[in-house]
Amino acid sequence: MSTSYDQQKRLHWELTNVELRAHATAIGLVQLCIELRRANVLEEAALERIKDAIADQVSVSATRAMASKNYRRDVRSRLDRLFAGDQEVGSAEELSFGAPQE
């Protein structure tokens, strides 16, 4: 399932307008996906599509200062860890748009 940029942008604004960007909603979604996957109700391919949809939305809403060639890939990688349910994601400064690490 591939969603066009315009469709992603429209969905982003519609979700923002009903305030579904709240942390509680996101946490609930992640936990629901973890539980459904553990119960073998949600197939791995479906979980991958869910993570892709989230990564697309995060990429679409990124400011130009944050957006980079690797930004979406970094977000997707962090989503993989988050949806695994047992790994820390780390600080947002570790994404490709953050300050260089010394």
Side-chain angles (χ1 to χ4, degrees), residues 49-75:
R49 289 189 299 273
I50 291 167
K51 291 186 287 187
D52 282 338
I54 293 169
D56 288 346
Q57 279 300 303
V58 170
S59 297
V60 165
S61 64
T63 63
R64 287 185 189 256
M66 290 177 18
S68 74
K69 191 158 106 175
N70 299 320
Y71 181 72
R72 188 190 180 284
R73 186 199 70 218
D74 293 345
V75 168

mmCIF file with all atom_site columns, all heavy atoms in Angstrom, residues 49-75:
data_model
loop_
_atom_site.group_PDB
_atom_site.id
_atom_site.type_symbol
_atom_site.label_atom_id
_atom_site.label_alt_id
_atom_site.label_comp_id
_atom_site.label_asym_id
_atom_site.label_entity_id
_atom_site.label_seq_id
_atom_site.pdbx_PDB_ins_code
_atom_site.Cartn_x
_atom_site.Cartn_y
_atom_site.Cartn_z
_atom_site.occupancy
_atom_site.B_iso_or_equiv
_atom_site.pdbx_formal_charge
_atom_site.auth_seq_id
_atom_site.auth_comp_id
_atom_site.auth_asym_id
_atom_site.auth_atom_id
_atom_site.pdbx_PDB_model_num
ATOM 1   N N   . ARG A 1 49 ? 3.592  -2.347 7.574  1.00 0.00 ? 49 ARG A N   1
ATOM 2   C CA  . ARG A 1 49 ? 2.811  -1.295 6.896  1.00 0.00 ? 49 ARG A CA  1
ATOM 3   C C   . ARG A 1 49 ? 2.412  -0.200 7.879  1.00 0.00 ? 49 ARG A C   1
ATOM 4   O O   . ARG A 1 49 ? 2.421  0.991  7.523  1.00 0.00 ? 49 ARG A O   1
ATOM 5   C CB  . ARG A 1 49 ? 1.583  -1.894 6.219  1.00 0.00 ? 49 ARG A CB  1
ATOM 6   C CG  . ARG A 1 49 ? 1.915  -2.738 4.983  1.00 0.00 ? 49 ARG A CG  1
ATOM 7   C CD  . ARG A 1 49 ? 0.685  -3.134 4.196  1.00 0.00 ? 49 ARG A CD  1
ATOM 8   N NE  . ARG A 1 49 ? -0.266 -3.934 4.944  1.00 0.00 ? 49 ARG A NE  1
ATOM 9   C CZ  . ARG A 1 49 ? -0.226 -5.257 5.060  1.00 0.00 ? 49 ARG A CZ  1
ATOM 10  N NH1 . ARG A 1 49 ? 0.733  -5.949 4.460  1.00 0.00 ? 49 ARG A NH1 1
ATOM 11  N NH2 . ARG A 1 49 ? -1.163 -5.903 5.745  1.00 0.00 ? 49 ARG A NH2 1
ATOM 12  N N   . ILE A 1 50 ? 2.086  -0.570 9.107  1.00 0.00 ? 50 ILE A N   1
ATOM 13  C CA  . ILE A 1 50 ? 1.737  0.416  10.143 1.00 0.00 ? 50 ILE A CA  1
ATOM 14  C C   . ILE A 1 50 ? 2.948  1.305  10.427 1.00 0.00 ? 50 ILE A C   1
ATOM 15  O O   . ILE A 1 50 ? 2.839  2.541  10.457 1.00 0.00 ? 50 ILE A O   1
ATOM 16  C CB  . ILE A 1 50 ? 1.241  -0.280 11.420 1.00 0.00 ? 50 ILE A CB  1
ATOM 17  C CG1 . ILE A 1 50 ? -0.121 -0.922 11.176 1.00 0.00 ? 50 ILE A CG1 1
ATOM 18  C CG2 . ILE A 1 50 ? 1.180  0.702  12.600 1.00 0.00 ? 50 ILE A CG2 1
ATOM 19  C CD1 . ILE A 1 50 ? -0.567 -1.896 12.265 1.00 0.00 ? 50 ILE A CD1 1
ATOM 20  N N   . LYS A 1 51 ? 4.106  0.703  10.601 1.00 0.00 ? 51 LYS A N   1
ATOM 21  C CA  . LYS A 1 51 ? 5.319  1.484  10.878 1.00 0.00 ? 51 LYS A CA  1
ATOM 22  C C   . LYS A 1 51 ? 5.677  2.371  9.691  1.00 0.00 ? 51 LYS A C   1
ATOM 23  O O   . LYS A 1 51 ? 6.089  3.525  9.881  1.00 0.00 ? 51 LYS A O   1
ATOM 24  C CB  . LYS A 1 51 ? 6.477  0.554  11.244 1.00 0.00 ? 51 LYS A CB  1
ATOM 25  C CG  . LYS A 1 51 ? 6.272  -0.116 12.599 1.00 0.00 ? 51 LYS A CG  1
ATOM 26  C CD  . LYS A 1 51 ? 7.460  -0.928 13.035 1.00 0.00 ? 51 LYS A CD  1
ATOM 27  C CE  . LYS A 1 51 ? 7.605  -2.195 12.264 1.00 0.00 ? 51 LYS A CE  1
ATOM 28  N NZ  . LYS A 1 51 ? 8.667  -3.087 12.791 1.00 0.00 ? 51 LYS A NZ  1
ATOM 29  N N   . ASP A 1 52 ? 5.494  1.873  8.473  1.00 0.00 ? 52 ASP A N   1
ATOM 30  C CA  . ASP A 1 52 ? 5.748  2.696  7.286  1.00 0.00 ? 52 ASP A CA  1
ATOM 31  C C   . ASP A 1 52 ? 4.815  3.904  7.247  1.00 0.00 ? 52 ASP A C   1
ATOM 32  O O   . ASP A 1 52 ? 5.242  5.015  6.924  1.00 0.00 ? 52 ASP A O   1
ATOM 33  C CB  . ASP A 1 52 ? 5.577  1.874  6.009  1.00 0.00 ? 52 ASP A CB  1
ATOM 34  C CG  . ASP A 1 52 ? 6.771  0.974  5.727  1.00 0.00 ? 52 ASP A CG  1
ATOM 35  O OD1 . ASP A 1 52 ? 7.879  1.247  6.237  1.00 0.00 ? 52 ASP A OD1 1
ATOM 36  O OD2 . ASP A 1 52 ? 6.581  -0.015 4.989  1.00 0.00 ? 52 ASP A OD2 1
ATOM 37  N N   . ALA A 1 53 ? 3.546  3.691  7.571  1.00 0.00 ? 53 ALA A N   1
ATOM 38  C CA  . ALA A 1 53 ? 2.584  4.801  7.573  1.00 0.00 ? 53 ALA A CA  1
ATOM 39  C C   . ALA A 1 53 ? 2.976  5.857  8.602  1.00 0.00 ? 53 ALA A C   1
ATOM 40  O O   . ALA A 1 53 ? 2.896  7.063  8.331  1.00 0.00 ? 53 ALA A O   1
ATOM 41  C CB  . ALA A 1 53 ? 1.176  4.277  7.858  1.00 0.00 ? 53 ALA A CB  1
ATOM 42  N N   . ILE A 1 54 ? 3.412  5.421  9.765  1.00 0.00 ? 54 ILE A N   1
ATOM 43  C CA  . ILE A 1 54 ? 3.842  6.366  10.803 1.00 0.00 ? 54 ILE A CA  1
ATOM 44  C C   . ILE A 1 54 ? 5.087  7.112  10.340 1.00 0.00 ? 54 ILE A C   1
ATOM 45  O O   . ILE A 1 54 ? 5.166  8.349  10.457 1.00 0.00 ? 54 ILE A O   1
ATOM 46  C CB  . ILE A 1 54 ? 4.093  5.636  12.137 1.00 0.00 ? 54 ILE A CB  1
ATOM 47  C CG1 . ILE A 1 54 ? 2.781  5.101  12.698 1.00 0.00 ? 54 ILE A CG1 1
ATOM 48  C CG2 . ILE A 1 54 ? 4.765  6.575  13.149 1.00 0.00 ? 54 ILE A CG2 1
ATOM 49  C CD1 . ILE A 1 54 ? 2.954  4.152  13.876 1.00 0.00 ? 54 ILE A CD1 1
ATOM 50  N N   . ALA A 1 55 ? 6.063  6.394  9.807  1.00 0.00 ? 55 ALA A N   1
ATOM 51  C CA  . ALA A 1 55 ? 7.293  7.036  9.334  1.00 0.00 ? 55 ALA A CA  1
ATOM 52  C C   . ALA A 1 55 ? 6.990  8.041  8.229  1.00 0.00 ? 55 ALA A C   1
ATOM 53  O O   . ALA A 1 55 ? 7.590  9.129  8.189  1.00 0.00 ? 55 ALA A O   1
ATOM 54  C CB  . ALA A 1 55 ? 8.283  5.984  8.848  1.00 0.00 ? 55 ALA A CB  1
ATOM 55  N N   . ASP A 1 56 ? 6.053  7.709  7.343  1.00 0.00 ? 56 ASP A N   1
ATOM 56  C CA  . ASP A 1 56 ? 5.657  8.644  6.284  1.00 0.00 ? 56 ASP A CA  1
ATOM 57  C C   . ASP A 1 56 ? 5.103  9.929  6.888  1.00 0.00 ? 56 ASP A C   1
ATOM 58  O O   . ASP A 1 56 ? 5.453  11.030 6.467  1.00 0.00 ? 56 ASP A O   1
ATOM 59  C CB  . ASP A 1 56 ? 4.602  8.021  5.364  1.00 0.00 ? 56 ASP A CB  1
ATOM 60  C CG  . ASP A 1 56 ? 5.165  6.939  4.463  1.00 0.00 ? 56 ASP A CG  1
ATOM 61  O OD1 . ASP A 1 56 ? 6.406  6.833  4.337  1.00 0.00 ? 56 ASP A OD1 1
ATOM 62  O OD2 . ASP A 1 56 ? 4.355  6.174  3.904  1.00 0.00 ? 56 ASP A OD2 1
ATOM 63  N N   . GLN A 1 57 ? 4.240  9.802  7.887  1.00 0.00 ? 57 GLN A N   1
ATOM 64  C CA  . GLN A 1 57 ? 3.638  10.982 8.506  1.00 0.00 ? 57 GLN A CA  1
ATOM 65  C C   . GLN A 1 57 ? 4.672  11.829 9.230  1.00 0.00 ? 57 GLN A C   1
ATOM 66  O O   . GLN A 1 57 ? 4.651  13.054 9.141  1.00 0.00 ? 57 GLN A O   1
ATOM 67  C CB  . GLN A 1 57 ? 2.528  10.576 9.478  1.00 0.00 ? 57 GLN A CB  1
ATOM 68  C CG  . GLN A 1 57 ? 1.220  10.278 8.813  1.00 0.00 ? 57 GLN A CG  1
ATOM 69  C CD  . GLN A 1 57 ? 0.700  11.489 8.066  1.00 0.00 ? 57 GLN A CD  1
ATOM 70  O OE1 . GLN A 1 57 ? 0.519  12.569 8.636  1.00 0.00 ? 57 GLN A OE1 1
ATOM 71  N NE2 . GLN A 1 57 ? 0.467  11.325 6.776  1.00 0.00 ? 57 GLN A NE2 1
ATOM 72  N N   . VAL A 1 58 ? 5.590  11.191 9.920  1.00 0.00 ? 58 VAL A N   1
ATOM 73  C CA  . VAL A 1 58 ? 6.641  11.938 10.608 1.00 0.00 ? 58 VAL A CA  1
ATOM 74  C C   . VAL A 1 58 ? 7.500  12.677 9.591  1.00 0.00 ? 58 VAL A C   1
ATOM 75  O O   . VAL A 1 58 ? 7.842  13.845 9.780  1.00 0.00 ? 58 VAL A O   1
ATOM 76  C CB  . VAL A 1 58 ? 7.489  11.004 11.504 1.00 0.00 ? 58 VAL A CB  1
ATOM 77  C CG1 . VAL A 1 58 ? 8.719  11.717 12.033 1.00 0.00 ? 58 VAL A CG1 1
ATOM 78  C CG2 . VAL A 1 58 ? 6.652  10.461 12.658 1.00 0.00 ? 58 VAL A CG2 1
ATOM 79  N N   . SER A 1 59 ? 7.826  12.025 8.491  1.00 0.00 ? 59 SER A N   1
ATOM 80  C CA  . SER A 1 59 ? 8.634  12.650 7.445  1.00 0.00 ? 59 SER A CA  1
ATOM 81  C C   . SER A 1 59 ? 7.910  13.820 6.801  1.00 0.00 ? 59 SER A C   1
ATOM 82  O O   . SER A 1 59 ? 8.514  14.860 6.542  1.00 0.00 ? 59 SER A O   1
ATOM 83  C CB  . SER A 1 59 ? 8.992  11.619 6.369  1.00 0.00 ? 59 SER A CB  1
ATOM 84  O OG  . SER A 1 59 ? 9.777  10.606 6.914  1.00 0.00 ? 59 SER A OG  1
ATOM 85  N N   . VAL A 1 60 ? 6.630  13.659 6.544  1.00 0.00 ? 60 VAL A N   1
ATOM 86  C CA  . VAL A 1 60 ? 5.837  14.716 5.916  1.00 0.00 ? 60 VAL A CA  1
ATOM 87  C C   . VAL A 1 60 ? 5.767  15.951 6.805  1.00 0.00 ? 60 VAL A C   1
ATOM 88  O O   . VAL A 1 60 ? 5.817  17.074 6.330  1.00 0.00 ? 60 VAL A O   1
ATOM 89  C CB  . VAL A 1 60 ? 4.404  14.212 5.593  1.00 0.00 ? 60 VAL A CB  1
ATOM 90  C CG1 . VAL A 1 60 ? 3.463  15.349 5.289  1.00 0.00 ? 60 VAL A CG1 1
ATOM 91  C CG2 . VAL A 1 60 ? 4.453  13.248 4.426  1.00 0.00 ? 60 VAL A CG2 1
ATOM 92  N N   . SER A 1 61 ? 5.693  15.736 8.108  1.00 0.00 ? 61 SER A N   1
ATOM 93  C CA  . SER A 1 61 ? 5.525  16.868 9.019  1.00 0.00 ? 61 SER A CA  1
ATOM 94  C C   . SER A 1 61 ? 6.848  17.470 9.484  1.00 0.00 ? 61 SER A C   1
ATOM 95  O O   . SER A 1 61 ? 6.844  18.458 10.203 1.00 0.00 ? 61 SER A O   1
ATOM 96  C CB  . SER A 1 61 ? 4.698  16.439 10.233 1.00 0.00 ? 61 SER A CB  1
ATOM 97  O OG  . SER A 1 61 ? 5.398  15.457 10.979 1.00 0.00 ? 61 SER A OG  1
ATOM 98  N N   . ALA A 1 62 ? 7.973  16.921 9.056  1.00 0.00 ? 62 ALA A N   1
ATOM 99  C CA  . ALA A 1 62 ? 9.276  17.436 9.477  1.00 0.00 ? 62 ALA A CA  1
ATOM 100 C C   . ALA A 1 62 ? 9.534  18.806 8.866  1.00 0.00 ? 62 ALA A C   1
ATOM 101 O O   . ALA A 1 62 ? 9.216  19.053 7.705  1.00 0.00 ? 62 ALA A O   1
ATOM 102 C CB  . ALA A 1 62 ? 10.379 16.469 9.058  1.00 0.00 ? 62 ALA A CB  1
ATOM 103 N N   . THR A 1 63 ? 10.123 19.673 9.659  1.00 0.00 ? 63 THR A N   1
ATOM 104 C CA  . THR A 1 63 ? 10.524 20.980 9.139  1.00 0.00 ? 63 THR A CA  1
ATOM 105 C C   . THR A 1 63 ? 11.728 20.795 8.232  1.00 0.00 ? 63 THR A C   1
ATOM 106 O O   . THR A 1 63 ? 12.430 19.791 8.307  1.00 0.00 ? 63 THR A O   1
ATOM 107 C CB  . THR A 1 63 ? 10.905 21.943 10.276 1.00 0.00 ? 63 THR A CB  1
ATOM 108 O OG1 . THR A 1 63 ? 12.033 21.406 10.964 1.00 0.00 ? 63 THR A OG1 1
ATOM 109 C CG2 . THR A 1 63 ? 9.749  22.130 11.248 1.00 0.00 ? 63 THR A CG2 1
ATOM 110 N N   . ARG A 1 64 ? 11.976 21.760 7.406  1.00 0.00 ? 64 ARG A N   1
ATOM 111 C CA  . ARG A 1 64 ? 13.126 21.668 6.491  1.00 0.00 ? 64 ARG A CA  1
ATOM 112 C C   . ARG A 1 64 ? 14.435 21.513 7.255  1.00 0.00 ? 64 ARG A C   1
ATOM 113 O O   . ARG A 1 64 ? 15.345 20.838 6.811  1.00 0.00 ? 64 ARG A O   1
ATOM 114 C CB  . ARG A 1 64 ? 13.199 22.890 5.589  1.00 0.00 ? 64 ARG A CB  1
ATOM 115 C CG  . ARG A 1 64 ? 12.143 22.899 4.521  1.00 0.00 ? 64 ARG A CG  1
ATOM 116 C CD  . ARG A 1 64 ? 12.372 24.094 3.597  1.00 0.00 ? 64 ARG A CD  1
ATOM 117 N NE  . ARG A 1 64 ? 11.252 24.232 2.708  1.00 0.00 ? 64 ARG A NE  1
ATOM 118 C CZ  . ARG A 1 64 ? 11.275 23.872 1.438  1.00 0.00 ? 64 ARG A CZ  1
ATOM 119 N NH1 . ARG A 1 64 ? 12.362 23.363 0.927  1.00 0.00 ? 64 ARG A NH1 1
ATOM 120 N NH2 . ARG A 1 64 ? 10.226 24.025 0.681  1.00 0.00 ? 64 ARG A NH2 1
ATOM 121 N N   . ALA A 1 65 ? 14.520 22.150 8.416  1.00 0.00 ? 65 ALA A N   1
ATOM 122 C CA  . ALA A 1 65 ? 15.747 22.060 9.207  1.00 0.00 ? 65 ALA A CA  1
ATOM 123 C C   . ALA A 1 65 ? 15.990 20.629 9.692  1.00 0.00 ? 65 ALA A C   1
ATOM 124 O O   . ALA A 1 65 ? 17.123 20.204 9.858  1.00 0.00 ? 65 ALA A O   1
ATOM 125 C CB  . ALA A 1 65 ? 15.664 23.006 10.397 1.00 0.00 ? 65 ALA A CB  1
ATOM 126 N N   . MET A 1 66 ? 14.918 19.878 9.922  1.00 0.00 ? 66 MET A N   1
ATOM 127 C CA  . MET A 1 66 ? 15.046 18.513 10.419 1.00 0.00 ? 66 MET A CA  1
ATOM 128 C C   . MET A 1 66 ? 15.173 17.506 9.287  1.00 0.00 ? 66 MET A C   1
ATOM 129 O O   . MET A 1 66 ? 15.834 16.493 9.432  1.00 0.00 ? 66 MET A O   1
ATOM 130 C CB  . MET A 1 66 ? 13.834 18.143 11.278 1.00 0.00 ? 66 MET A CB  1
ATOM 131 C CG  . MET A 1 66 ? 13.806 18.866 12.595 1.00 0.00 ? 66 MET A CG  1
ATOM 132 S SD  . MET A 1 66 ? 12.368 18.541 13.642 1.00 0.00 ? 66 MET A SD  1
ATOM 133 C CE  . MET A 1 66 ? 11.651 17.076 13.065 1.00 0.00 ? 66 MET A CE  1
ATOM 134 N N   . ALA A 1 67 ? 14.512 17.779 8.195  1.00 0.00 ? 67 ALA A N   1
ATOM 135 C CA  . ALA A 1 67 ? 14.485 16.820 7.088  1.00 0.00 ? 67 ALA A CA  1
ATOM 136 C C   . ALA A 1 67 ? 15.887 16.643 6.505  1.00 0.00 ? 67 ALA A C   1
ATOM 137 O O   . ALA A 1 67 ? 16.610 17.599 6.315  1.00 0.00 ? 67 ALA A O   1
ATOM 138 C CB  . ALA A 1 67 ? 13.516 17.291 6.013  1.00 0.00 ? 67 ALA A CB  1
ATOM 139 N N   . SER A 1 68 ? 16.234 15.418 6.276  1.00 0.00 ? 68 SER A N   1
ATOM 140 C CA  . SER A 1 68 ? 17.510 15.109 5.640  1.00 0.00 ? 68 SER A CA  1
ATOM 141 C C   . SER A 1 68 ? 17.319 13.857 4.806  1.00 0.00 ? 68 SER A C   1
ATOM 142 O O   . SER A 1 68 ? 16.272 13.220 4.838  1.00 0.00 ? 68 SER A O   1
ATOM 143 C CB  . SER A 1 68 ? 18.605 14.880 6.679  1.00 0.00 ? 68 SER A CB  1
ATOM 144 O OG  . SER A 1 68 ? 18.436 13.629 7.301  1.00 0.00 ? 68 SER A OG  1
ATOM 145 N N   . LYS A 1 69 ? 18.352 13.504 4.084  1.00 0.00 ? 69 LYS A N   1
ATOM 146 C CA  . LYS A 1 69 ? 18.277 12.325 3.232  1.00 0.00 ? 69 LYS A CA  1
ATOM 147 C C   . LYS A 1 69 ? 17.979 11.062 4.051  1.00 0.00 ? 69 LYS A C   1
ATOM 148 O O   . LYS A 1 69 ? 17.271 10.181 3.597  1.00 0.00 ? 69 LYS A O   1
ATOM 149 C CB  . LYS A 1 69 ? 19.606 12.182 2.492  1.00 0.00 ? 69 LYS A CB  1
ATOM 150 C CG  . LYS A 1 69 ? 19.587 11.173 1.389  1.00 0.00 ? 69 LYS A CG  1
ATOM 151 C CD  . LYS A 1 69 ? 20.682 11.465 0.402  1.00 0.00 ? 69 LYS A CD  1
ATOM 152 C CE  . LYS A 1 69 ? 21.839 10.555 0.456  1.00 0.00 ? 69 LYS A CE  1
ATOM 153 N NZ  . LYS A 1 69 ? 22.843 10.747 -0.537 1.00 0.00 ? 69 LYS A NZ  1
ATOM 154 N N   . ASN A 1 70 ? 18.489 11.001 5.251  1.00 0.00 ? 70 ASN A N   1
ATOM 155 C CA  . ASN A 1 70 ? 18.358 9.808  6.074  1.00 0.00 ? 70 ASN A CA  1
ATOM 156 C C   . ASN A 1 70 ? 17.275 9.920  7.141  1.00 0.00 ? 70 ASN A C   1
ATOM 157 O O   . ASN A 1 70 ? 17.089 8.986  7.923  1.00 0.00 ? 70 ASN A O   1
ATOM 158 C CB  . ASN A 1 70 ? 19.691 9.494  6.750  1.00 0.00 ? 70 ASN A CB  1
ATOM 159 C CG  . ASN A 1 70 ? 20.777 9.217  5.750  1.00 0.00 ? 70 ASN A CG  1
ATOM 160 O OD1 . ASN A 1 70 ? 20.541 8.562  4.748  1.00 0.00 ? 70 ASN A OD1 1
ATOM 161 N ND2 . ASN A 1 70 ? 21.963 9.721  6.006  1.00 0.00 ? 70 ASN A ND2 1
ATOM 162 N N   . TYR A 1 71 ? 16.570 11.030 7.195  1.00 0.00 ? 71 TYR A N   1
ATOM 163 C CA  . TYR A 1 71 ? 15.620 11.272 8.278  1.00 0.00 ? 71 TYR A CA  1
ATOM 164 C C   . TYR A 1 71 ? 14.554 10.181 8.374  1.00 0.00 ? 71 TYR A C   1
ATOM 165 O O   . TYR A 1 71 ? 14.331 9.603  9.434  1.00 0.00 ? 71 TYR A O   1
ATOM 166 C CB  . TYR A 1 71 ? 14.974 12.649 8.107  1.00 0.00 ? 71 TYR A CB  1
ATOM 167 C CG  . TYR A 1 71 ? 14.000 12.989 9.207  1.00 0.00 ? 71 TYR A CG  1
ATOM 168 C CD1 . TYR A 1 71 ? 14.457 13.282 10.479 1.00 0.00 ? 71 TYR A CD1 1
ATOM 169 C CD2 . TYR A 1 71 ? 12.632 13.023 8.966  1.00 0.00 ? 71 TYR A CD2 1
ATOM 170 C CE1 . TYR A 1 71 ? 13.573 13.596 11.495 1.00 0.00 ? 71 TYR A CE1 1
ATOM 171 C CE2 . TYR A 1 71 ? 11.752 13.333 9.977  1.00 0.00 ? 71 TYR A CE2 1
ATOM 172 C CZ  . TYR A 1 71 ? 12.225 13.628 11.235 1.00 0.00 ? 71 TYR A CZ  1
ATOM 173 O OH  . TYR A 1 71 ? 11.348 13.930 12.234 1.00 0.00 ? 71 TYR A OH  1
ATOM 174 N N   . ARG A 1 72 ? 13.879 9.869  7.263  1.00 0.00 ? 72 ARG A N   1
ATOM 175 C CA  . ARG A 1 72 ? 12.824 8.871  7.307  1.00 0.00 ? 72 ARG A CA  1
ATOM 176 C C   . ARG A 1 72 ? 13.379 7.499  7.696  1.00 0.00 ? 72 ARG A C   1
ATOM 177 O O   . ARG A 1 72 ? 12.786 6.774  8.471  1.00 0.00 ? 72 ARG A O   1
ATOM 178 C CB  . ARG A 1 72 ? 12.076 8.757  5.980  1.00 0.00 ? 72 ARG A CB  1
ATOM 179 C CG  . ARG A 1 72 ? 10.852 7.838  6.121  1.00 0.00 ? 72 ARG A CG  1
ATOM 180 C CD  . ARG A 1 72 ? 10.215 7.493  4.783  1.00 0.00 ? 72 ARG A CD  1
ATOM 181 N NE  . ARG A 1 72 ? 9.070  6.638  4.962  1.00 0.00 ? 72 ARG A NE  1
ATOM 182 C CZ  . ARG A 1 72 ? 9.146  5.334  5.243  1.00 0.00 ? 72 ARG A CZ  1
ATOM 183 N NH1 . ARG A 1 72 ? 10.318 4.754  5.427  1.00 0.00 ? 72 ARG A NH1 1
ATOM 184 N NH2 . ARG A 1 72 ? 8.048  4.614  5.383  1.00 0.00 ? 72 ARG A NH2 1
ATOM 185 N N   . ARG A 1 73 ? 14.539 7.163  7.152  1.00 0.00 ? 73 ARG A N   1
ATOM 186 C CA  . ARG A 1 73 ? 15.164 5.885  7.501  1.00 0.00 ? 73 ARG A CA  1
ATOM 187 C C   . ARG A 1 73 ? 15.464 5.810  8.996  1.00 0.00 ? 73 ARG A C   1
ATOM 188 O O   . ARG A 1 73 ? 15.230 4.796  9.639  1.00 0.00 ? 73 ARG A O   1
ATOM 189 C CB  . ARG A 1 73 ? 16.457 5.695  6.710  1.00 0.00 ? 73 ARG A CB  1
ATOM 190 C CG  . ARG A 1 73 ? 17.067 4.308  6.920  1.00 0.00 ? 73 ARG A CG  1
ATOM 191 C CD  . ARG A 1 73 ? 18.523 4.230  6.552  1.00 0.00 ? 73 ARG A CD  1
ATOM 192 N NE  . ARG A 1 73 ? 19.263 4.996  7.547  1.00 0.00 ? 73 ARG A NE  1
ATOM 193 C CZ  . ARG A 1 73 ? 20.310 5.758  7.284  1.00 0.00 ? 73 ARG A CZ  1
ATOM 194 N NH1 . ARG A 1 73 ? 20.752 5.870  6.069  1.00 0.00 ? 73 ARG A NH1 1
ATOM 195 N NH2 . ARG A 1 73 ? 20.930 6.418  8.223  1.00 0.00 ? 73 ARG A NH2 1
ATOM 196 N N   . ASP A 1 74 ? 15.965 6.910  9.567  1.00 0.00 ? 74 ASP A N   1
ATOM 197 C CA  . ASP A 1 74 ? 16.262 6.943  10.996 1.00 0.00 ? 74 ASP A CA  1
ATOM 198 C C   . ASP A 1 74 ? 14.989 6.810  11.827 1.00 0.00 ? 74 ASP A C   1
ATOM 199 O O   . ASP A 1 74 ? 14.965 6.083  12.823 1.00 0.00 ? 74 ASP A O   1
ATOM 200 C CB  . ASP A 1 74 ? 16.987 8.233  11.366 1.00 0.00 ? 74 ASP A CB  1
ATOM 201 C CG  . ASP A 1 74 ? 18.380 8.332  10.764 1.00 0.00 ? 74 ASP A CG  1
ATOM 202 O OD1 . ASP A 1 74 ? 18.902 7.292  10.303 1.00 0.00 ? 74 ASP A OD1 1
ATOM 203 O OD2 . ASP A 1 74 ? 18.936 9.438  10.751 1.00 0.00 ? 74 ASP A OD2 1
ATOM 204 N N   . VAL A 1 75 ? 13.934 7.509  11.416 1.00 0.00 ? 75 VAL A N   1
ATOM 205 C CA  . VAL A 1 75 ? 12.651 7.416  12.119 1.00 0.00 ? 75 VAL A CA  1
ATOM 206 C C   . VAL A 1 75 ? 12.134 5.986  12.052 1.00 0.00 ? 75 VAL A C   1
ATOM 207 O O   . VAL A 1 75 ? 11.698 5.408  13.052 1.00 0.00 ? 75 VAL A O   1
ATOM 208 C CB  . VAL A 1 75 ? 11.616 8.406  11.530 1.00 0.00 ? 75 VAL A CB  1
ATOM 209 C CG1 . VAL A 1 75 ? 10.217 8.117  12.053 1.00 0.00 ? 75 VAL A CG1 1
ATOM 210 C CG2 . VAL A 1 75 ? 12.019 9.835  11.847 1.00 0.00 ? 75 VAL A CG2 1
#
